[in-house]
Amino acid sequence: MKSLERSRADIDHLDAKMASLYTQRMATVRDIAAQKQAEGLPIRDPGREQTVLERNLARIADPDLRPGYAALLRRQMAAARAYQEKLLSRAELCVQLADSVCPIYLKDGALQDADRYLELDRRVCIVTDDGTPPEYAAALADKCAAPMIVTVPAGEGSKSVAVWTDLLQRMQYAGLTRSDCVAAVGGGVVGDLAGFAAASYLRGIDCYQIPTTLLAMADASVGGKTALNYGGVKNAVGAIRQPRAVLMDPTVLQTLPHRQLANGLAEILKMALTSDPMLFALLRQPEPPLRDILLRALNVKIAVVEQDERETGLRRVLNFGHTLGHGIEAACGGRLLHGECVGLGMLPMCAPQLRPQVEAALTGLGLPTRAEFDPEAALAAIAHDKKTDACGIRTVRVDEIGQWRLETVQLSDLRPMLRGLLPNP
Ligand code: GLY
């Protein structure tokens, strides 16, 4: 048997060879990108990827090594796709996971030009709601070979089993096959509903997220979370399945009411407080530069999702403010928007010395720092929450801007925090 040192030297040598081969492989990928661009071909070619996978796996004699090698190959192909997207500079950003790449196109006017970015020469079930200007879904439909538009009522009520079932029925009736797709045009509710329909129909078909609110752009449309509310519990049923792509057209934000913009800014403030002091500084400017802050927030979100897609650890940071926020949202009977509740929910989770700065930031962004709601109703909703278990409730705390930690608390610990948010605590 070789000595450990010798074996490690061999590994180093093989790694160096692999690095060199990887560089060569990516140089070829660059040529392929140029050819695809010249011929107008899509970057992703599932048939070709399957062939590469099968042919290479057949080269591995030891069956114990095949699953690991398959994962490596998938990761390599995903990296190649991401590299092509970047080279063709169509995607601003990308969520790159072991077996998927989700390009994020953030372009003014992208909605009018959607077929440049998305594969629309198939049946496309466009899901939107009656709170979203209908011209957005119509603009997308205009670019699709075989579109259908399903408009659901605006609001959380559409994240229900009944609306989801109805949507699946329509997809089935229209004859959508595995190679067809769903496109969500609207805010977070539409994204969750359409995303879950796409994840569950025929065991999963492609989904494009086309968020038209700041909240959905900065957070909900990226990362693959999809959900329905069930049994009185928010997001109780769902799946994590990455969209094929996310298309954001910031021009749609120009007509978004100020309150809706502030709603999205709350989620961006969440990213700033937990992960990005520079983003916090941008948010404190009198007129925060929307595109810059959106890009920074997306970079935080992508980094988190790429490291912890299944929310086993790091991704919990994105729940900052949401434990109390969801409770307040349930208790205030629809008077407050999601972002407004999350903004409130973040305040008591910040260290006392930080709170004046956070209050000032919330006020500056047009978000409330106090609200009228029943703290006991909020506690009851939190007790139902899926993040609550026998050991307590996992919460995210921020002691310094850009630094966060997890803390498990008991339900009763949240009572004074909630009361502190009332107009007259
Ligand atoms: N919106 C929280 C998450 O994506 O994990």
Side-chain angles (χ1 to χ4, degrees):
M1 193 165 52
K2 284 187 218 165
S3 71
L4 181 61
E5 222 153 85
R6 182 76 203 276
S7 297
R8 283 186 171 158
D10 285 352
I11 289 277
D12 288 348
H13 177 68
L14 289 168
D15 280 348
K17 261 193 174 165
M18 275 170 80
S20 160
L21 285 172
Y22 183 77
T23 311
Q24 285 177 44
R25 192 181 197 279
M26 289 311 237
T28 310
V29 164
R30 208 161 49 218
D31 295 343
I32 291 173
Q35 284 160 30
K36 282 184 174 171
Q37 188 177 38
E39 290 172 38
L41 294 172
I43 285 174
R44 187 161 178 258
D45 182 346
R48 159 87 187 152
E49 289 189 1
Q50 194 54 33
T51 309
V52 169
L53 201 65
E54 282 166 14
R55 197 180 40 220
N56 283 297
L57 279 181
R59 292 178 174 138
I60 302 285
D62 182 346
D64 285 349
L65 296 183
R66 279 196 203 128
Y69 188 60
L72 196 69
L73 276 175
R74 284 204 188 90
R75 175 115 212 140
Q76 198 159 279
M77 289 190 286
R81 264 184 271 132
Y83 188 48
Q84 291 185 47
E85 290 285 355
K86 196 167 166 217
L87 287 170
L88 301 182
S89 60
R90 298 191 319 182
E92 198 85 36
L93 303 160
C94 244
V95 180
Q96 202 181 326
L97 296 162
D99 53 4
S100 70
V101 174
C102 170
I104 299 172
Y105 305 105
L106 174 66
K107 308 264 185 212
D108 283 346
L111 195 52
Q112 308 299 331
D113 234 359
D115 55 340
R116 280 189 58 204
Y117 307 101
L118 315 176
E119 285 170 41
L120 301 177
D121 51 346
R122 47 184 167 166
R123 279 194 199 88
V124 183
C125 174
I126 302 169
V127 184
T128 189
D129 67 18
D130 58 15
T132 302
E135 52 270 28
Y136 299 160
L140 179 66
D142 231 31
K143 301 288 174 184
C144 300
M148 61 184 273
I149 298 179
V150 179
T151 305
V152 301
E156 279 289 310
S158 283
K159 282 176 55 173
S160 66
V161 172
V163 176
W164 168 71
T165 309
D166 184 59
L167 178 54
L168 292 182
Q169 265 170 9
R170 289 182 195 218
M171 289 161 65
Q172 202 169 44
Y173 187 71
L176 259 74
T177 66
R178 280 216 176 90
S179 37
D180 295 322
C181 66
V182 172
V185 178
V189 166
V190 166
D192 270 349
L193 169 71
F196 188 58
S200 47
Y201 186 74
L202 299 178
R203 299 200 180 100
I205 63 172
D206 281 353
C207 180
Y208 293 120
Q209 290 286 345
I210 306 178
T212 60
T213 65
L214 184 59
L215 186 136
M217 286 186 192
D219 192 17
S221 63
V222 174
K225 277 193 179 174
T226 71
L228 303 178
N229 303 328
Y230 183 71
V233 180
K234 196 172 161 79
N235 300 335
V237 173
I240 296 182
R241 192 160 192 277
Q242 296 304 318
R244 268 293 312 284
V246 183
L247 185 81
M248 302 183 188
D249 181 348
T251 58
V252 305
L253 300 177
Q254 285 162 7
T255 51
L256 206 63
H258 184 77
R259 191 170 171 210
Q260 283 293 342
L261 267 185
N263 192 34
L265 288 169
E267 294 284 5
I268 296 179
L269 180 62
K270 169 188 86 177
M271 318 276 190
L273 287 171
T274 53
S275 315
D276 187 351
M278 177 64 86
L279 178 55
F280 186 74
L282 286 174
L283 287 170
R284 294 295 291 124
Q285 291 184 5
E287 300 260 315
L290 210 52
R291 195 190 155 78
D292 293 351
I293 60 169
L294 182 55
L295 266 175
R296 285 197 85 95
L298 285 169
N299 273 309
V300 172
K301 175 93 194 217
I302 291 167
V304 169
V305 172
E306 285 186 339
Q307 290 171 75
D308 180 25
E309 184 195 18
R310 316 298 306 177
E311 196 173 316
T312 54
L314 177 66
R315 190 162 178 172
R316 291 185 187 138
V317 67
L318 299 174
N319 295 330
F320 178 52
H322 282 65
T323 302
L324 296 179
H326 281 166
I328 298 167
E329 204 173 348
C332 74
R335 273 179 295 109
L336 293 177
L337 300 175
H338 175 75
E340 293 170 337
C341 298
V342 168
L344 286 164
M346 289 192 280
L347 258 182
M349 296 296 167
C350 292
Q353 72 276 13
L354 210 61
R355 280 182 214 161
Q357 275 190 76
V358 180
E359 283 209 20
L362 287 169
T363 307
L365 296 173
L367 291 159
T369 57
R370 296 276 180 279
E372 198 76 71
F373 64 94
D374 175 3
E376 295 309 314
L379 275 179
I382 295 168
H384 261 86
D385 199 287
K386 62 189 181 332
K387 288 182 281 297
T388 308
D389 59 32
C391 306
I393 301 158
R394 271 191 305 268
T395 58
V396 178
R397 311 292 291 239
V398 169
D399 298 327
E400 237 179 90
I401 295 172
Q403 309 269 324
W404 63 280
R405 65 186 162 85
L406 284 177
E407 189 176 283
T408 301
V409 299
Q410 300 308 311
L411 196 60
S412 55
D413 299 329
L414 301 180
R415 184 174 280 112
M417 295 185 185
L418 288 165
R419 288 203 173 136
L421 293 168
L422 297 174
N424 300 305

